[in-house]
Amino acid sequence: MGKNLLIVHGGGPTAVINASLYGAVEEAKKHPEVEHIYAAKNGTGGLLKGEIIDLTNEPEEKLALLLQTPGSAIGTSRDALEAPEYEKMAQILKEKEISCVLMNGGNGTMDTCGKLYKACQAAGGDVRVMGIPKTMDNDIAITDHSPGYGSAALYMAQSTAELCADVKGLAIHVVVLEASGRNAGWITAASALAADQGGDGPDLIYLPERPFDEDQFVADVEELLKKKKGIVVVASEGLHDKDGKPIVEPIFKVGRATYFGDVGTHLAGVVIKRLGYKARGEKPGLLGRCSIYMQSKVDRDEAQLAGEIACREVLKGTTGKMVAFKRISTEPYKVEPFLVDIDEVMMYERTMPDEFINEKGNGVTEAFKEWARPLLGEEIRKMVSFN
Amino acid sequence: MGKNLLIVHGGGPTAVINASLYGAVEEAKKHPEVEHIYAAKNGTGGLLKGEIIDLTNEPEEKLALLLQTPGSAIGTSRDALEAPEYEKMAQILKEKEISCVLMNGGNGTMDTCGKLYKACQAAGGDVRVMGIPKTMDNDIAITDHSPGYGSAALYMAQSTAELCADVKGLAIHVVVLEASGRNAGWITAASALAADQGGDGPDLIYLPERPFDEDQFVADVEELLKKKKGIVVVASEGLHDKDGKPIVEPIFKVGRATYFGDVGTHLAGVVIKRLGYKARGEKPGLLGRCSIYMQSKVDRDEAQLAGEIACREVLKGTTGKMVAFKRISTEPYKVEPFLVDIDEVMMYERTMPDEFINEKGNGVTEAFKEWARPLLGEEIRKMVSFN
């Protein structure tokens, strides 16, 4: 009997989520027993409305563009689901005769994955679900790192290197670059690799893993201003004080979501007010997860591989597992894929370990840089300075 | 008698200002009469302190890195100069026996250029000065466009394309991307080329050449929300209302400089408050003028050529002129360099002509897109969407 496969995207996209989709589709095409390669249109939100895209006969040249398309080419969603919705999805899968499901997402999506699997069992079907890891934030447990992070890290490292060159050349201000990652500092930390360009990296790095002390920040900047007139600070969007209170005020509330002010602009304001020195904040925000120019080749290849493996496994009969990567060696860089129980990764948020953060809490260690460097997929472009 | 050449950078850097420096240095090396190739360290600010870098014997492999180095590799400054400072600079040039000066900058720097020339004449020296155009903002008069703009345009077009893909895939919010260019909308307008990726471009574009009407903006967004759930707006940092008042409040003042709030975040707040819909603002800011990955090849080549020509001309005896580009044809793209009197370009700020702005004032015309497209130096990366 033929099999129908369904791919579902969950949560925020990355620069390589579509590379995993491509990997899964290409793998499925190699298996003659696969009748239809389906995708949920706009994630579980669309699936619940029965909106399904059939990718089976899409031409190869169109599919290959997935490797250079940011965002989610089949759409994704971020809705919190309730029990009856899982039952409904199980029902839809039954109707469409879908027995193999691949869910691509972060630790929230892995939770969905596990619950869908149980709902399908309860509905009496033989549905298998496999998870493909994806997050720019790199906060999924157990795996050495997650597809999506390498590209976000390259974006942050290269952008910081360029910003440092700009600020060194026109040394008139403190520039605070806001980095994504509210609870985990992996992306913020990657800015340290900017120094690989051959010159200076960022002067200060503030991670959400450490409480932020405004007085210490002002003292840090003041000290630096004695030596130079242009300073680059990288700060996580999720900085909070020692009591866990975000350093920026919540400015708006819409439904369950709270919107905070921009950390970069806030800290620039602190410099202006308390030190009377020029400052500005920059916030690339979503641009940091969708840059194709700064897509990491290592990240893209691993994302594609994760999609391939998940597809191969689900067709073999494996279920309730997520593809993960184990670091075999850093120099030369080598990872090995393996499977992990979905139960072990769902809803767990992995932050930076202490050995990756410096003692003063305003920078990272060499150990972090060694670990992160190969994930960029290429070297930070070399630069020159004569001043 | 041998000649000494001095290169000076003025104002904010671009992604290709160092390419002009490279062009000038390489050209100078071809002229045996050139004894020293000097650069002012940190612009006129450094020159006034007699801080001069000697590039004459720098190795070629180091110089070649200038082509991929953002910022100003010799430094630049942004100080307003007074008459005695021009006299002092003329004196320094005399002491260092510098007879050829190249000033790379925007319309403010061209003003400096003209004044320095006159101060040198008054000091009784035979100093020649040539201008090399440079501005990400593209606001220098007479020339078809300025080196620095093509790269800023590619950054804006490609970043917008990527953001549109992200927002289409996870269609849950209005994202307002803030673009550089306080008075001229050239960079903001380049976002329209995002549609070249094969799908949608930005939904709305607000240029500083038109007064911004908040009610109309809210109505524009509300209308779009009837059709789709993800919207991309591109807005100039310099938007102002019909009375010329900036739409964001001045938040800080340091000396003569006024700091305004972020337009992107402000407009996101307007959407949240008035429409109760999720929104966020992104502001790449300085990143838009220093990206090496998104450096336009056409822009880099033209910047290098402008440096070469300025150097050749100043050594020939030409003075008081700026290198400019005349558009010969758009398809195929062809420009011709020519020289323009510095008097004609100094302190004049060129904004977008009416024929490049659409009737409703919330987008650009096809004529603009045709004019701007070749400056990107490459095609916007093609993308695919199945949802």
Side-chain angles (χ1 to χ4, degrees):
Chain A
M1 196 192 87
K3 284 175 186 161
N4 293 325
L5 174 81
L6 174 75
I7 301 154
V8 187
H9 286 176
T14 72
V16 298
I17 183 172
N18 293 322
S20 289
L21 174 61
Y22 182 71
V25 171
E26 293 300 299
E27 180 64 31
K29 282 177 163 185
K30 290 182 194 155
H31 296 257
E33 74 270 27
V34 175
E35 275 185 19
H36 287 278
I37 306 167
Y38 292 126
K41 187 175 174 178
N42 302 321
T44 51
L47 179 57
L48 280 164
K49 288 184 266 180
E51 293 177 358
I52 284 181
I53 303 160
D54 193 339
L55 297 172
T56 321
N57 299 312
E58 287 293 347
E60 178 52 31
E61 65 269 25
K62 204 172 161 192
L63 290 170
L65 286 175
L66 287 170
L67 294 171
Q68 62 177 62
T69 299
S72 166
I74 54 174
T76 176
S77 61
R78 198 181 247 170
D79 314 317
L81 302 176
E82 307 291 337
E85 292 171 312
Y86 286 101
E87 284 164 32
K88 189 168 177 198
M89 279 195 284
Q91 190 56 39
I92 290 167
L93 295 180
K94 215 168 172 179
E95 281 163 20
K96 302 266 180 194
E97 296 178 340
I98 293 165
S99 58
C100 297
V101 179
L102 301 182
M103 299 203 80
N104 185 322
N107 40 47
T109 302
M110 292 308 130
D111 183 54
T112 306
C113 202
K115 287 176 179 160
L116 179 62
Y117 171 59
K118 284 179 191 120
C120 288
Q121 283 189 308
D126 173 30
V127 172
R128 308 155 204 167
V129 271
M130 279 289 295
I132 303 170
K134 172 240 49 170
T135 163
M136 76 180 298
D137 291 333
N138 202 40
D139 57 359
I140 301 179
I142 299 173
T143 184
D144 177 73
H145 58 278
S146 294
Y149 173 63
S151 297
L154 176 60
Y155 181 92
M156 185 49 60
Q158 180 67 29
S159 297
T160 305
E162 292 163 351
L163 186 61
C164 288
D166 189 290
V167 170
K168 188 179 183 190
L170 181 62
I172 58 166
H173 45 202
V174 174
V175 181
V176 186
L177 181 64
E178 180 171 326
S180 297
R182 197 157 283 284
N183 301 315
W186 300 100
I187 296 173
T188 309
S191 66
L193 293 168
D196 286 3
Q197 52 99 349
D200 299 340
D203 297 290
L204 298 164
I205 298 174
Y206 295 101
L207 304 161
E209 280 83 357
R210 293 287 178 267
F212 183 80
D213 178 338
E214 189 181 294
D215 292 337
Q216 187 57 52
F217 164 70
V218 170
D220 285 350
V221 171
E222 201 167 21
E223 189 60 33
L224 282 163
L225 281 173
K226 288 178 191 162
K227 287 174 284 184
K228 54 181 182 176
K229 299 292 168 211
I231 289 166
V232 173
V233 178
V234 181
S236 157
E237 63 175 342
L239 290 181
H240 49 79
D241 66 17
K242 62 179 178 359
D243 304 317
K245 191 171 158 282
I247 66 163
V248 283
E249 297 293 322
I251 41 176
F252 303 113
K253 270 190 176 267
V254 182
R256 290 183 306 179
T258 304
Y259 287 77
F260 293 93
D262 296 329
V263 160
T265 299
H266 169 75
L267 291 180
V270 168
V271 171
I272 293 173
K273 273 190 244 175
R274 294 190 50 182
L275 296 172
Y277 194 73
K278 282 189 203 173
R280 53 180 289 159
E282 315 295 13
K283 182 196 163 203
L286 300 182
L287 298 182
R289 75 182 187 195
C290 61
S291 174
I292 285 304
Y293 279 70
M294 285 176 265
Q295 185 194 52
S296 154
K297 285 165 196 66
V298 163
D299 191 27
R300 188 182 62 206
D301 289 349
E302 290 178 353
Q304 189 176 340
L305 180 64
E308 279 167 27
I309 293 172
C311 181
R312 201 152 55 227
E313 289 292 333
V314 84
L315 291 175
K316 246 204 306 200
T318 312
T319 189
K321 306 272 185 186
M322 182 191 83
V323 178
F325 291 96
K326 182 180 163 68
R327 175 94 53 134
I328 304 301
S329 95
T330 282
E331 220 165 327
Y333 175 68
K334 191 169 184 307
V335 290
E336 251 174 35
F338 68 106
L339 301 182
V340 51
D341 282 350
I342 279 177
D343 290 351
E344 288 188 64
V345 290
M346 59 201 240
M347 296 313 275
Y348 179 87
E349 200 168 34
R350 183 179 70 150
T351 55
M352 298 246 300
D354 289 346
E355 64 263 32
F356 282 176
I357 303 174
N358 76 1
E359 217 171 307
K360 286 187 75 181
N362 59 6
V364 300
T365 59
E366 281 303 314
F368 168 77
K369 287 164 80 169
E370 281 165 28
W371 173 84
R373 193 171 280 120
L375 307 181
L376 304 188
E378 63 191 280
E379 285 183 13
I380 297 298
R381 306 277 170 103
K382 291 281 172 278
M383 298 178 188
V384 67
S385 173
F386 297 105
N387 71 327
Chain B
M1 197 192 83
K3 284 174 186 162
N4 293 326
L5 174 81
L6 175 75
I7 301 155
V8 187
H9 286 177
T14 71
V16 299
I17 183 171
N18 293 322
S20 288
L21 174 61
Y22 182 71
V25 171
E26 293 299 300
E27 179 64 30
K29 283 178 162 184
K30 291 183 194 155
H31 297 256
E33 74 272 27
V34 175
E35 275 184 18
H36 287 278
I37 306 167
Y38 291 127
K41 187 175 171 176
N42 302 321
T44 52
L47 180 57
L48 279 164
K49 289 184 264 179
E51 293 178 357
I52 284 182
I53 303 158
D54 193 338
L55 297 173
T56 321
N57 298 313
E58 288 292 348
E60 178 53 30
E61 66 269 26
K62 204 171 160 192
L63 291 169
L65 287 175
L66 287 170
L67 295 172
Q68 63 179 59
T69 299
S72 167
I74 55 174
T76 176
S77 61
R78 198 179 247 170
D79 316 316
L81 302 176
E82 305 292 336
E85 292 171 312
Y86 285 102
E87 284 164 34
K88 188 167 177 199
M89 278 195 285
Q91 191 55 38
I92 290 167
L93 296 181
K94 218 170 171 178
E95 279 162 21
K96 302 268 182 193
E97 296 178 339
I98 292 164
S99 59
C100 296
V101 179
L102 301 181
M103 297 201 82
N104 185 323
N107 40 47
T109 303
M110 293 306 131
D111 183 54
T112 306
C113 202
K115 285 174 181 162
L116 178 62
Y117 172 59
K118 281 177 191 120
C120 289
Q121 281 188 313
D126 173 31
V127 172
R128 306 152 204 170
V129 270
M130 280 288 297
I132 303 170
K134 172 239 50 168
T135 163
M136 77 181 295
D137 291 333
N138 202 40
D139 57 359
I140 302 180
I142 299 173
T143 185
D144 177 72
H145 59 280
S146 294
Y149 173 62
S151 298
L154 177 59
Y155 182 92
M156 185 50 59
Q158 180 67 29
S159 297
T160 306
E162 291 162 351
L163 187 60
C164 289
D166 190 290
V167 171
K168 187 177 184 193
L170 181 62
I172 58 167
H173 45 200
V174 173
V175 181
V176 186
L177 181 64
E178 180 171 327
S180 296
R182 197 157 284 284
N183 301 315
W186 299 100
I187 297 173
T188 310
S191 66
L193 292 168
D196 286 3
Q197 51 98 347
D200 298 341
D203 296 291
L204 298 164
I205 298 174
Y206 294 101
L207 304 160
E209 280 84 356
R210 294 286 180 269
F212 182 81
D213 179 337
E214 188 179 296
D215 292 338
Q216 187 56 52
F217 163 70
V218 171
D220 286 350
V221 172
E222 200 166 20
E223 189 61 33
L224 282 162
L225 281 174
K226 288 178 191 163
K227 286 174 285 184
K228 54 182 181 174
K229 300 293 169 209
I231 289 166
V232 173
V233 178
V234 181
S236 158
E237 62 175 343
L239 290 182
H240 49 80
D241 66 17
K242 63 180 178 357
D243 304 317
K245 190 170 158 286
I247 64 164
V248 281
E249 297 294 321
I251 41 176
F252 303 114
K253 270 191 176 266
V254 182
R256 290 182 307 180
T258 305
Y259 288 76
F260 293 93
D262 297 329
V263 161
T265 299
H266 169 75
L267 292 180
V270 168
V271 170
I272 293 172
K273 274 191 245 176
R274 295 189 50 182
L275 295 173
Y277 195 72
K278 282 188 201 173
R280 52 180 290 158
E282 314 296 14
K283 181 196 164 204
L286 300 182
L287 297 182
R289 75 182 185 194
C290 61
S291 174
I292 286 303
Y293 279 69
M294 285 177 263
Q295 186 194 50
S296 154
K297 284 164 196 68
V298 162
D299 191 25
R300 188 182 63 204
D301 290 349
E302 289 178 354
Q304 190 176 340
L305 181 64
E308 277 167 29
I309 294 172
C311 181
R312 201 151 57 226
E313 288 292 334
V314 84
L315 291 174
K316 245 201 314 202
T318 310
T319 188
K321 306 272 187 190
M322 183 192 82
V323 179
F325 291 96
K326 183 180 161 70
R327 175 93 56 134
I328 303 302
S329 94
T330 283
E331 220 164 329
Y333 175 67
K334 192 172 184 303
V335 290
E336 250 173 35
F338 69 106
L339 302 182
V340 51
D341 284 350
I342 279 177
D343 291 352
E344 290 187 63
V345 290
M346 57 201 242
M347 297 313 276
Y348 178 87
E349 201 169 35
R350 184 179 69 148
T351 54
M352 298 245 302
D354 289 345
E355 64 263 32
F356 283 174
I357 303 172
N358 76 1
E359 216 171 308
K360 286 187 74 180
N362 59 6
V364 301
T365 60
E366 280 303 315
F368 167 77
K369 288 165 79 169
E370 281 165 25
W371 173 85
R373 193 171 280 120
L375 308 181
L376 304 189
E378 63 191 281
E379 285 184 14
I380 297 297
R381 306 277 169 102
K382 292 281 173 275
M383 297 176 189
V384 67
S385 173
F386 297 106
N387 72 326

